[in-house]
Amino acid sequence: MFSISRTRPFQRFQKAAGISTFHINTIVVGLELVALGGEKPNDLNIKWKPPSNPRNAVEQTKKFVLLAILAHVVDAFDVLLREYAELEWTSIDQDLKNILRKSVTKPNKDSYSIRERTEALLGHLQVDHGDALAALDLMVSWRNSLVHAKRGRWILSESTSGRLLERAETFAERYAGIDIKRALEALEKRSWPTLKEATTMVAICQNLARSVDEGLIRREANTPEKIQQIAKVELAGIFGQSEAKWNAIGGRSPQKRYKVLATYLHEAGIAESQEGISAALGSEFLDELVRSTRTEIEEMLSKTGKYIKPDANSGKRLFRP
């Protein structure tokens, strides 16, 4: 059974930011070994010598690492929103796409924040993630406060601070005792986040991204007809890339054609899975493609309005029956 568990934008987000907490913890363990007197392995070809004050050097490096990871994840989330606007098969209207791309401003000429862009997308999906939005706001504000330290203070709105304080106990239960009050006070003082605060914000951002992705799939691919149309749109883009995509299936055995076509669908985020979020794509869809000629497939893909025939680098091949 083929279905969508993750969209391609979310797959890329996960690749960029999916194991950031593991990366942070790995670095912190390494830094702690330095603080305890660890030395560079002889075969590690870099210029480095133990600092004269290991503990102070390690604490300074931790700050650099935490800032880098916050900036990295915030930027990855920003890209995720922009890429959702480029998905060909959603019902997202042009106004919302422009907000997600950040290609328009608000009536007062201010830019839409990441929180506002996310909130607009959640409104389209008709789902509420108020706690996560408030935490995302905290993460972005903290990142901006540290990256743009000379541009003044970054202050959370009263509604966001109030939401975080009101839900402080819930956050502590979900995220291993995180102290929201301390985090807000640290942001106010323009202090650095603790390791716990940074990893918690990263985890909430990752969970929010997953929830948005699942909401999008459930809304846009919840019937067999919709998932089949998505498959056609995605294949139109893949086959329009180059003749090589066509040549990979031309003149092949039915079994090999099926395997290559399944790979193409997997590239598009439509994979064989028993835990898909979307409706199922029936096996008859691929079976029909395997039996079809290139001309027949191109006719089908052209009806999506998304297929552009690639430049011919080789002769047109017909599929064998």
Side-chain angles (χ1 to χ4, degrees), residues 9 26 35 67 86 138 158 176-177 210 216 229 261 274 283 293 312 316:
T26 300
L67 174 57
E86 308 307 323
L138 172 64
E158 289 186 10
R210 180 180 292 278
L216 189 65
Q229 180 63 18
L261 287 166
Q274 299 300 318
S283 59
T293 66
K316 183 175 180 181

Side-chain angles (χ1 to χ4, degrees), residues 236-237 239-242 246 298 301-302 304-311:
F239 279 116
Q241 291 174 10
S242 71
W246 287 106
E298 285 189 315
L301 299 182
S302 295
T304 67
K306 306 296 182 182
Y307 177 66
I308 300 176
K309 188 173 181 177
D311 292 334

